[in-house]
């Protein structure tokens, strides 16, 4: 190869790198401009004014209070005896009957009963929505219902998904007063749209072989669906249901913020009253609750679909939480 050809190739590579750098800089500048003008638009004033009038001192004072949570509302016993701080948890755990008594009180103003209420909303809502999600999800698949009739079922699921659970709870408030029951209905409805669509997508990707094998035996249409289709995706259906349960628990917290009960309502009430130490206890409880459910759900899904997850023990999973590379999305070899 002549030196002219080499120089030409090098020049082409340099030009390509230069263009890529320019495009990267342009993308960064565009993103920065979008954030700058978007912040000014949402704040109804220029960004320098927003920074000048922002209450940084007050913000950091309140944030520091969240880091010193007061669990005085952990149980009825700790509230009545004014036992606060982290000691309230230790005292409550040493008296299991106080925890049972608090759960039976069904009061969102106590952390333990609020947590149980939030979990109940998420779990019962998921169970209630599952059969409807299965019905619409299966009939929405073109493999089960011929085109274009399957779009009727897909349309129902799309309509449900287009309305957030936060809106469904106010729609159901016309049926029953705003309460944990209303939140449960909203979560169940949301489950039909989200879980049903996942079921439909899963059915579209199954193998045709087992279906043809069942048909060749002279099986009826319901038998083909049951033994040829659903048998292929039963594990995936359970795994997706666990994933939706994880999401529904978070939704239950957000519904509590608007007054539907549970942990969200506890946090919101204390924030409104500037009880930052108690709000910090609610936020810390929320963090533990969400991480616990996510960890449990991930483990169960890994058991159901081992090919899509790395099999690891509970200690390994906890160790991964402290691995910075995992948080950054970089895998590490053991």
């Amino acid at each position: 190869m002549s030196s002219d050809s080499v120089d030409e190739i090098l020049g082409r590579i340099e030009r390509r790198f230069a263009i890529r750098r320019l495009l990267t800089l342009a993308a960064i500048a565009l993103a920065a401009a979008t954030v700058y003008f978007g912040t000014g638009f949402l704040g109804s004033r220029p960004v320098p004014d927003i920074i000048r009038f922002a209450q940084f001192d007050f913000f950091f004072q309140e944030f520091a209070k969240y880091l010193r949570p007061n669990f005085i509302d952990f149980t009825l016993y700790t509230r009545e005896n004014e036992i606060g701080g982290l000691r309230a948890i230790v005292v409550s755990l040493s008296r299991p009957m106080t925890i049972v008594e608090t759960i039976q009180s069904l009061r969102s103003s106590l952390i333990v009963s609020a947590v149980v209420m939030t979990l109940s909303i998420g779990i019962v809502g998921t169970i209630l929505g599952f059969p409807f999600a299965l019905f619409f999800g299966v009939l929405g698949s073109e493999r089960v219902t011929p085109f274009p009739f399957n779009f009727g079922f897909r349309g129902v699921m799309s309509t449900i998904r287009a309305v957030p659970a936060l809106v469904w709870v106010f729609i159901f408030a016309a049926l029953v007063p705003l309460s944990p029951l209303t939140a449960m209905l909203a979560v169940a409805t949301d489950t039909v749209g989200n879980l049903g669509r996942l079921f439909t997508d899963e059915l579209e990707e199954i193998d045709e072989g087992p279906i043809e094998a069942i048909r060749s035996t002279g099986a009826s249409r319901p038998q083909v669906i049951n033994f040829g289709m659903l048998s292929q995706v039963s594990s995936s259906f359970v795994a997706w249901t666990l994933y939706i349960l994880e999401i529904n628990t978070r939704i239950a917290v957000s519904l509590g913020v608007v007054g539907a009960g549970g942990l969200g309502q506890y946090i919101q009430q204390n924030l409104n009253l500037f009880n930052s130490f108690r709000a910090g206890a609610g936020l810390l409880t929320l963090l533990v609750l969400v991480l616990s459910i996510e960890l449990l759900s991930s483990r169960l899904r890994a058991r159901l679909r081992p090919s899509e997850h790395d099999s690891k023990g509970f200690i390994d999973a906890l160790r991964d939480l402290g691995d910075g590379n995992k948080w950054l999305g970089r895998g590490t070899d053991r």
Side-chain angles (χ1 to χ4, degrees):
M1 186 179 291
S2 67
S3 60
D4 289 343
S5 300
V6 172
D7 291 341
E8 187 179 338
I9 293 171
L10 287 174
R12 204 160 48 227
I13 292 174
E14 286 177 0
R15 281 195 298 276
R16 195 174 298 166
F17 273 109
I19 292 171
R20 194 174 296 174
R21 279 192 220 102
L22 284 173
L23 289 175
T24 303
L25 288 173
I28 293 172
L30 180 63
T34 303
V35 171
Y36 182 86
F37 291 108
T39 305
F41 172 72
L42 295 173
S44 302
R45 61 176 67 178
V47 173
D49 282 355
I50 295 174
I51 295 173
R52 192 183 313 140
F53 293 108
Q55 304 177 63
F56 289 110
D57 293 340
F58 180 70
F59 170 77
F60 286 118
Q61 284 174 11
E62 291 299 307
F63 190 78
K65 292 178 183 175
Y66 299 149
L67 301 179
R68 290 183 292 162
N70 186 350
F71 285 90
I72 192 171
D73 295 325
F74 196 70
T75 59
L76 274 172
Y77 181 82
T78 55
R79 178 186 282 181
E80 289 172 356
N81 293 279
E82 297 184 350
I83 302 172
L86 295 175
R87 183 167 168 265
I89 300 176
V90 178
V91 171
S92 298
L93 293 177
S94 65
R95 293 175 172 76
M97 284 311 297
T98 63
I99 295 178
V100 175
E101 183 186 9
T102 305
I103 293 172
Q104 291 174 338
S105 70
L106 287 176
R107 291 163 62 178
S108 292
S109 58
L110 296 168
I111 292 176
V112 169
S113 59
V115 167
V116 173
M117 203 179 291
T118 299
L119 283 174
S120 300
I121 293 170
I123 293 171
V124 177
T126 305
I127 294 173
L128 185 64
F130 176 83
F132 296 98
L134 186 63
F135 175 79
F136 284 100
V138 171
L139 293 180
S141 170
E142 193 174 346
R143 287 174 178 269
V144 177
T145 307
F147 176 84
F149 302 106
N150 63 323
F151 272 87
F153 300 99
R154 289 190 179 214
V156 172
M157 291 186 288
S158 297
T159 303
I160 291 173
R161 292 174 66 212
V163 181
L166 208 54
V167 176
W168 279 116
V169 77
F170 288 112
I171 293 174
F172 284 117
L175 180 67
V176 289
L178 191 61
S179 63
L181 180 63
T182 324
M184 186 267 291
L185 292 173
V187 168
T189 306
D190 202 55
T191 299
V192 175
N194 292 325
L195 188 58
R197 185 53 193 266
L198 290 172
F199 285 171
T200 300
D201 291 344
E202 197 70 37
L203 278 172
E204 299 292 350
E205 297 175 1
I206 58 177
D207 294 332
E208 191 64 27
I211 300 172
E212 291 298 328
I214 295 291
R215 278 188 188 137
S216 66
T217 64
S220 63
R221 181 70 173 160
Q223 287 174 326
V224 171
I225 294 171
N226 190 22
F227 299 108
M229 298 181 185
L230 295 182
S231 61
Q232 292 190 57
V233 292
S234 56
S235 296
S236 297
F237 275 19
V238 176
W240 281 124
T241 304
L242 290 170
Y243 176 67
I244 291 296
L245 172 63
E246 182 185 321
I247 293 175
N248 283 347
T249 306
R250 293 193 184 99
I251 292 175
V253 174
S254 62
L255 297 181
V257 172
V258 296
L263 192 56
Q265 184 167 331
Y266 176 83
I267 295 171
Q268 178 64 21
Q269 286 176 345
N270 282 290
L271 286 174
N272 288 342
L273 297 172
F274 291 100
N275 290 330
S276 302
F277 296 114
R278 296 186 183 191
L283 290 170
L284 183 60
T285 306
L286 171 62
L287 182 66
V288 172
L289 175 67
V290 170
L291 287 179
S292 301
I293 292 174
E294 187 171 339
L295 191 64
L296 179 63
S297 174
S298 298
R299 289 295 305 146
L300 289 172
R301 279 185 277 138
R303 290 284 181 188
L304 289 167
R305 296 194 293 191
S307 60
E308 297 179 18
H309 300 265
D310 295 329
S311 179
K312 62 181 75 166
F314 181 73
I315 300 299
D316 289 336
L318 287 180
R319 191 183 299 145
D320 284 348
L321 291 176
D323 188 342
N325 288 323
K326 293 284 183 184
W327 288 98
L328 295 173
R330 288 186 243 149
T332 54
D333 295 325
R334 294 187 187 286

